[in-house]
Short mmCIF file of all heavy atoms in Angstrom, two decimals:
data_model
loop_
_atom_site.label_atom_id
_atom_site.label_comp_id
_atom_site.label_asym_id
_atom_site.label_seq_id
_atom_site.Cartn_x
_atom_site.Cartn_y
_atom_site.Cartn_z
N THR A 1 12.49 -75.27 43.30
CA THR A 1 13.88 -75.62 42.97
C THR A 1 14.05 -75.74 41.46
O THR A 1 15.00 -75.18 40.88
CB THR A 1 14.28 -76.95 43.64
OG1 THR A 1 14.17 -76.81 45.07
CG2 THR A 1 15.69 -77.35 43.28
N GLU A 2 13.14 -76.48 40.81
CA GLU A 2 13.23 -76.65 39.36
C GLU A 2 13.07 -75.31 38.64
O GLU A 2 13.84 -75.00 37.72
CB GLU A 2 12.14 -77.62 38.89
CG GLU A 2 12.24 -78.03 37.43
CD GLU A 2 11.69 -76.99 36.46
OE1 GLU A 2 10.72 -76.27 36.82
OE2 GLU A 2 12.22 -76.87 35.33
N TRP A 3 12.11 -74.50 39.10
CA TRP A 3 11.82 -73.23 38.44
C TRP A 3 13.00 -72.28 38.54
O TRP A 3 13.44 -71.69 37.54
CB TRP A 3 10.56 -72.62 39.04
CG TRP A 3 10.09 -71.38 38.36
CD1 TRP A 3 9.67 -71.26 37.06
CD2 TRP A 3 9.99 -70.08 38.93
NE1 TRP A 3 9.30 -69.96 36.79
CE2 TRP A 3 9.49 -69.21 37.93
CE3 TRP A 3 10.25 -69.55 40.20
CZ2 TRP A 3 9.26 -67.86 38.15
CZ3 TRP A 3 10.02 -68.20 40.43
CH2 TRP A 3 9.52 -67.36 39.41
N THR A 4 13.55 -72.11 39.74
CA THR A 4 14.65 -71.16 39.91
C THR A 4 15.96 -71.67 39.32
O THR A 4 16.85 -70.88 39.00
CB THR A 4 14.85 -70.81 41.40
OG1 THR A 4 15.05 -72.02 42.15
CG2 THR A 4 13.64 -70.07 41.94
N SER A 5 16.09 -72.99 39.16
CA SER A 5 17.31 -73.52 38.52
C SER A 5 17.41 -73.06 37.07
O SER A 5 18.50 -72.98 36.52
CB SER A 5 17.33 -75.05 38.58
OG SER A 5 16.36 -75.62 37.72
N ARG A 6 16.28 -72.72 36.47
CA ARG A 6 16.29 -72.23 35.08
C ARG A 6 17.00 -70.89 34.98
O ARG A 6 17.55 -70.55 33.91
CB ARG A 6 14.86 -72.08 34.57
CG ARG A 6 14.06 -73.37 34.50
CD ARG A 6 12.70 -73.09 33.92
NE ARG A 6 11.66 -73.92 34.51
CZ ARG A 6 10.37 -73.70 34.40
NH1 ARG A 6 9.94 -72.66 33.69
NH2 ARG A 6 9.49 -74.49 34.98
N ILE A 7 16.99 -70.12 36.06
CA ILE A 7 17.70 -68.84 36.05
C ILE A 7 19.19 -69.07 35.82
O ILE A 7 19.81 -68.43 34.97
CB ILE A 7 17.49 -68.10 37.40
CG1 ILE A 7 16.01 -67.79 37.61
CG2 ILE A 7 18.33 -66.82 37.44
CD1 ILE A 7 15.72 -67.19 38.99
N VAL A 8 19.76 -69.99 36.58
CA VAL A 8 21.19 -70.29 36.47
C VAL A 8 21.50 -70.97 35.15
O VAL A 8 22.50 -70.67 34.49
CB VAL A 8 21.64 -71.15 37.67
CG1 VAL A 8 23.11 -71.51 37.54
CG2 VAL A 8 21.37 -70.42 38.98
N HIS A 9 20.64 -71.92 34.75
CA HIS A 9 20.88 -72.63 33.49
C HIS A 9 20.86 -71.69 32.29
O HIS A 9 21.51 -71.96 31.28
CB HIS A 9 19.83 -73.72 33.29
CG HIS A 9 19.95 -74.84 34.28
ND1 HIS A 9 18.92 -75.71 34.59
CD2 HIS A 9 20.99 -75.22 35.05
CE1 HIS A 9 19.33 -76.57 35.49
NE2 HIS A 9 20.58 -76.29 35.79
N ALA A 10 20.14 -70.58 32.42
CA ALA A 10 20.06 -69.60 31.33
C ALA A 10 21.20 -68.58 31.41
O ALA A 10 21.24 -67.64 30.63
CB ALA A 10 18.72 -68.89 31.36
N GLY A 11 22.12 -68.77 32.37
CA GLY A 11 23.25 -67.87 32.49
C GLY A 11 23.04 -66.73 33.46
O GLY A 11 23.88 -65.83 33.58
N GLY A 12 21.89 -66.76 34.19
CA GLY A 12 21.61 -65.72 35.16
C GLY A 12 22.19 -66.04 36.53
O GLY A 12 22.88 -67.05 36.72
N THR A 13 21.90 -65.19 37.49
CA THR A 13 22.44 -65.33 38.85
C THR A 13 21.35 -65.07 39.88
O THR A 13 20.52 -64.18 39.69
CB THR A 13 23.60 -64.34 39.07
OG1 THR A 13 24.62 -64.58 38.09
CG2 THR A 13 24.21 -64.50 40.46
N ILE A 14 21.39 -65.83 40.95
CA ILE A 14 20.53 -65.58 42.11
C ILE A 14 21.44 -65.16 43.26
O ILE A 14 22.36 -65.89 43.61
CB ILE A 14 19.73 -66.83 42.53
CG1 ILE A 14 18.97 -67.42 41.35
CG2 ILE A 14 18.78 -66.50 43.68
CD1 ILE A 14 18.35 -68.78 41.65
N ARG A 15 21.18 -64.00 43.82
CA ARG A 15 21.99 -63.50 44.94
C ARG A 15 21.13 -63.43 46.20
O ARG A 15 20.07 -62.82 46.19
CB ARG A 15 22.56 -62.12 44.63
CG ARG A 15 23.55 -62.11 43.49
CD ARG A 15 24.20 -60.75 43.30
NE ARG A 15 25.06 -60.75 42.13
CZ ARG A 15 26.33 -61.16 42.15
NH1 ARG A 15 26.87 -61.56 43.27
NH2 ARG A 15 27.05 -61.14 41.04
N ARG A 16 21.63 -64.04 47.26
CA ARG A 16 20.96 -63.90 48.55
C ARG A 16 21.45 -62.63 49.23
O ARG A 16 22.65 -62.40 49.34
CB ARG A 16 21.26 -65.10 49.45
CG ARG A 16 20.47 -65.07 50.76
CD ARG A 16 21.04 -65.99 51.80
NE ARG A 16 21.33 -67.31 51.28
CZ ARG A 16 20.43 -68.26 51.10
NH1 ARG A 16 19.18 -68.01 51.40
NH2 ARG A 16 20.78 -69.44 50.62
N CYS A 17 20.50 -61.82 49.69
CA CYS A 17 20.83 -60.62 50.45
C CYS A 17 20.72 -60.96 51.94
O CYS A 17 19.61 -61.18 52.45
CB CYS A 17 19.88 -59.48 50.08
SG CYS A 17 20.26 -57.92 50.92
N ARG A 18 21.85 -61.04 52.61
CA ARG A 18 21.85 -61.46 54.01
C ARG A 18 21.15 -60.47 54.92
O ARG A 18 20.67 -60.86 56.00
CB ARG A 18 23.30 -61.65 54.49
CG ARG A 18 24.03 -62.83 53.85
CD ARG A 18 25.45 -62.90 54.37
NE ARG A 18 26.20 -64.00 53.79
CZ ARG A 18 26.30 -65.21 54.34
NH1 ARG A 18 25.67 -65.47 55.46
NH2 ARG A 18 27.01 -66.16 53.75
N ASP A 19 21.05 -59.21 54.52
CA ASP A 19 20.46 -58.18 55.37
C ASP A 19 18.97 -57.98 55.11
O ASP A 19 18.31 -57.25 55.86
CB ASP A 19 21.18 -56.85 55.17
CG ASP A 19 22.65 -56.95 55.56
OD1 ASP A 19 22.96 -57.73 56.48
OD2 ASP A 19 23.48 -56.26 54.93
N ALA A 20 18.44 -58.59 54.07
CA ALA A 20 17.01 -58.50 53.78
C ALA A 20 16.33 -59.72 54.40
O ALA A 20 16.44 -60.83 53.89
CB ALA A 20 16.77 -58.46 52.27
N LEU A 21 15.66 -59.52 55.51
CA LEU A 21 15.19 -60.64 56.32
C LEU A 21 13.68 -60.86 56.18
O LEU A 21 12.89 -59.91 56.18
CB LEU A 21 15.53 -60.41 57.79
CG LEU A 21 17.03 -60.25 58.11
CD1 LEU A 21 17.22 -60.02 59.59
CD2 LEU A 21 17.81 -61.47 57.64
N VAL A 22 13.32 -62.13 56.09
CA VAL A 22 11.93 -62.56 56.09
C VAL A 22 11.77 -63.58 57.22
O VAL A 22 12.55 -64.53 57.31
CB VAL A 22 11.53 -63.19 54.73
CG1 VAL A 22 10.18 -63.87 54.84
CG2 VAL A 22 11.51 -62.14 53.64
N ILE A 23 10.77 -63.38 58.07
CA ILE A 23 10.56 -64.24 59.23
C ILE A 23 9.55 -65.32 58.88
O ILE A 23 8.43 -65.00 58.46
CB ILE A 23 10.06 -63.44 60.45
CG1 ILE A 23 10.91 -62.18 60.66
CG2 ILE A 23 10.04 -64.32 61.69
CD1 ILE A 23 12.36 -62.45 60.92
N ASP A 24 9.92 -66.58 59.05
CA ASP A 24 8.96 -67.68 58.91
C ASP A 24 8.12 -67.73 60.18
O ASP A 24 8.65 -67.95 61.28
CB ASP A 24 9.69 -69.01 58.71
CG ASP A 24 10.24 -69.16 57.31
OD1 ASP A 24 9.77 -68.44 56.41
OD2 ASP A 24 11.13 -70.00 57.10
N LEU A 25 6.82 -67.56 60.04
CA LEU A 25 5.93 -67.53 61.19
C LEU A 25 5.54 -68.93 61.67
O LEU A 25 4.94 -69.06 62.73
CB LEU A 25 4.65 -66.75 60.85
CG LEU A 25 4.87 -65.29 60.41
CD1 LEU A 25 3.54 -64.67 60.01
CD2 LEU A 25 5.53 -64.49 61.51
N GLU A 26 5.89 -69.93 60.90
CA GLU A 26 5.51 -71.30 61.22
C GLU A 26 6.72 -72.21 61.12
O GLU A 26 7.56 -72.03 60.23
CB GLU A 26 4.41 -71.78 60.26
CG GLU A 26 3.77 -73.09 60.62
CD GLU A 26 2.62 -73.42 59.69
OE1 GLU A 26 2.86 -73.55 58.47
OE2 GLU A 26 1.49 -73.55 60.16
N ASN A 27 6.82 -73.18 62.02
CA ASN A 27 7.93 -74.13 61.97
C ASN A 27 7.86 -74.97 60.71
O ASN A 27 6.77 -75.33 60.25
CB ASN A 27 7.90 -75.06 63.19
CG ASN A 27 8.44 -74.37 64.43
OD1 ASN A 27 9.41 -73.63 64.36
ND2 ASN A 27 7.81 -74.63 65.56
N SER A 28 9.01 -75.31 60.16
CA SER A 28 9.08 -76.17 59.00
C SER A 28 8.85 -77.62 59.40
O SER A 28 9.30 -78.07 60.45
CB SER A 28 10.45 -76.04 58.31
OG SER A 28 10.60 -77.03 57.32
N TRP A 29 8.13 -78.37 58.56
CA TRP A 29 7.91 -79.79 58.85
C TRP A 29 9.19 -80.60 58.70
O TRP A 29 9.27 -81.74 59.15
CB TRP A 29 6.82 -80.37 57.95
CG TRP A 29 7.15 -80.44 56.48
CD1 TRP A 29 6.95 -79.46 55.55
CD2 TRP A 29 7.72 -81.54 55.76
NE1 TRP A 29 7.36 -79.87 54.30
CE2 TRP A 29 7.83 -81.15 54.40
CE3 TRP A 29 8.14 -82.81 56.13
CZ2 TRP A 29 8.35 -81.99 53.42
CZ3 TRP A 29 8.65 -83.66 55.14
CH2 TRP A 29 8.75 -83.24 53.81
N HIS A 30 10.22 -80.00 58.12
CA HIS A 30 11.50 -80.69 57.98
C HIS A 30 12.27 -80.77 59.30
O HIS A 30 13.24 -81.52 59.39
CB HIS A 30 12.38 -79.97 56.95
CG HIS A 30 11.85 -80.05 55.55
ND1 HIS A 30 11.09 -79.05 54.99
CD2 HIS A 30 11.95 -81.02 54.60
CE1 HIS A 30 10.76 -79.39 53.75
NE2 HIS A 30 11.26 -80.57 53.49
N LEU A 31 11.82 -79.99 60.29
CA LEU A 31 12.54 -79.99 61.57
C LEU A 31 12.28 -81.29 62.33
O LEU A 31 11.15 -81.75 62.43
CB LEU A 31 12.10 -78.80 62.42
CG LEU A 31 12.54 -77.42 61.95
CD1 LEU A 31 12.02 -76.36 62.90
CD2 LEU A 31 14.04 -77.34 61.82
N ARG A 32 13.34 -81.84 62.88
CA ARG A 32 13.22 -83.07 63.65
C ARG A 32 12.77 -82.75 65.07
O ARG A 32 13.40 -81.97 65.78
CB ARG A 32 14.57 -83.79 63.66
CG ARG A 32 14.56 -85.16 64.30
CD ARG A 32 15.88 -85.85 64.01
NE ARG A 32 15.96 -87.17 64.62
CZ ARG A 32 16.91 -88.07 64.34
NH1 ARG A 32 17.84 -87.74 63.46
NH2 ARG A 32 16.93 -89.23 64.92
N SER A 33 11.67 -83.38 65.52
CA SER A 33 11.13 -83.10 66.85
C SER A 33 11.18 -84.32 67.76
O SER A 33 10.72 -84.27 68.89
CB SER A 33 9.68 -82.62 66.74
OG SER A 33 8.88 -83.59 66.09
N GLY A 34 11.73 -85.42 67.29
CA GLY A 34 11.81 -86.64 68.08
C GLY A 34 12.88 -87.54 67.51
O GLY A 34 13.70 -87.12 66.68
N PRO A 35 12.91 -88.82 67.92
CA PRO A 35 13.94 -89.74 67.42
C PRO A 35 13.79 -90.09 65.94
O PRO A 35 14.76 -90.43 65.28
CB PRO A 35 13.77 -90.98 68.30
CG PRO A 35 12.35 -90.92 68.77
CD PRO A 35 12.06 -89.45 68.94
N LEU A 36 12.55 -90.00 65.42
CA LEU A 36 12.33 -90.32 64.01
C LEU A 36 12.68 -89.15 63.11
O LEU A 36 12.34 -88.00 63.41
CB LEU A 36 10.88 -90.73 63.78
CG LEU A 36 10.47 -92.13 64.24
CD1 LEU A 36 8.96 -92.30 64.13
CD2 LEU A 36 11.18 -93.20 63.42
N LYS A 37 13.33 -89.45 62.00
CA LYS A 37 13.64 -88.41 61.02
C LYS A 37 12.34 -87.96 60.35
O LYS A 37 11.43 -88.77 60.13
CB LYS A 37 14.63 -88.93 59.99
CG LYS A 37 16.01 -89.25 60.59
CD LYS A 37 16.98 -89.74 59.54
CE LYS A 37 18.33 -90.08 60.14
NZ LYS A 37 19.00 -88.89 60.69
N PRO A 38 12.20 -86.67 60.02
CA PRO A 38 10.93 -86.15 59.50
C PRO A 38 10.39 -86.90 58.29
O PRO A 38 9.17 -87.07 58.17
CB PRO A 38 11.28 -84.70 59.14
CG PRO A 38 12.40 -84.35 60.06
CD PRO A 38 13.20 -85.61 60.22
N LEU A 39 11.26 -87.33 57.39
CA LEU A 39 10.79 -88.00 56.18
C LEU A 39 10.01 -89.28 56.47
O LEU A 39 9.17 -89.69 55.67
CB LEU A 39 11.97 -88.31 55.25
CG LEU A 39 12.47 -87.17 54.37
CD1 LEU A 39 13.71 -87.58 53.62
CD2 LEU A 39 11.39 -86.73 53.40
N VAL A 40 10.30 -89.93 57.58
CA VAL A 40 9.61 -91.18 57.89
C VAL A 40 8.78 -91.08 59.16
O VAL A 40 8.28 -92.07 59.67
CB VAL A 40 10.63 -92.35 58.03
CG1 VAL A 40 11.23 -92.69 56.69
CG2 VAL A 40 11.72 -92.02 59.04
N SER A 41 8.60 -89.88 59.68
CA SER A 41 7.83 -89.68 60.89
C SER A 41 6.33 -89.75 60.59
O SER A 41 5.87 -89.20 59.58
CB SER A 41 8.16 -88.32 61.52
OG SER A 41 7.27 -88.03 62.56
N PRO A 42 5.54 -90.40 61.46
CA PRO A 42 4.09 -90.43 61.26
C PRO A 42 3.45 -89.06 61.41
O PRO A 42 2.29 -88.86 61.03
CB PRO A 42 3.60 -91.39 62.35
CG PRO A 42 4.67 -91.37 63.39
CD PRO A 42 5.95 -91.18 62.64
N ASP A 43 4.19 -88.09 61.94
CA ASP A 43 3.68 -86.72 62.05
C ASP A 43 3.65 -86.01 60.70
O ASP A 43 3.02 -84.96 60.56
CB ASP A 43 4.55 -85.91 63.02
CG ASP A 43 4.49 -86.45 64.44
OD1 ASP A 43 3.46 -87.05 64.80
OD2 ASP A 43 5.49 -86.30 65.17
N VAL A 44 4.34 -86.57 59.71
CA VAL A 44 4.37 -86.00 58.36
C VAL A 44 3.46 -86.83 57.46
O VAL A 44 3.64 -88.04 57.34
CB VAL A 44 5.81 -85.99 57.80
CG1 VAL A 44 5.82 -85.47 56.37
CG2 VAL A 44 6.71 -85.13 58.68
#
């Protein structure tokens, strides 16, 4: 986040290409899998 923010701060642009797809092969730890929010879950 910090590194890519320098692009914008320097007057550049980041464009997301909606048709260029990358598949995440692993679930993100940010996903909630129970009543506890991920940030405070003992699974993290």
Side-chain angles (χ1 to χ4, degrees):
T1 300
E2 188 281 328
W3 186 62
T4 56
S5 71
R6 297 183 216 165
I7 298 174
V8 178
H9 292 159
T13 302
I14 307 170
R15 294 186 185 275
R16 186 197 313 280
C17 183
R18 292 179 180 267
D19 298 328
L21 300 180
V22 169
I23 312 299
D24 284 340
L25 301 176
E26 189 175 61
N27 282 321
S28 171
W29 66 272
H30 293 96
L31 290 180
R32 186 169 179 169
S33 58
L36 284 172
K37 295 181 181 295
L39 279 174
V40 290
S41 170
D43 296 332
V44 177

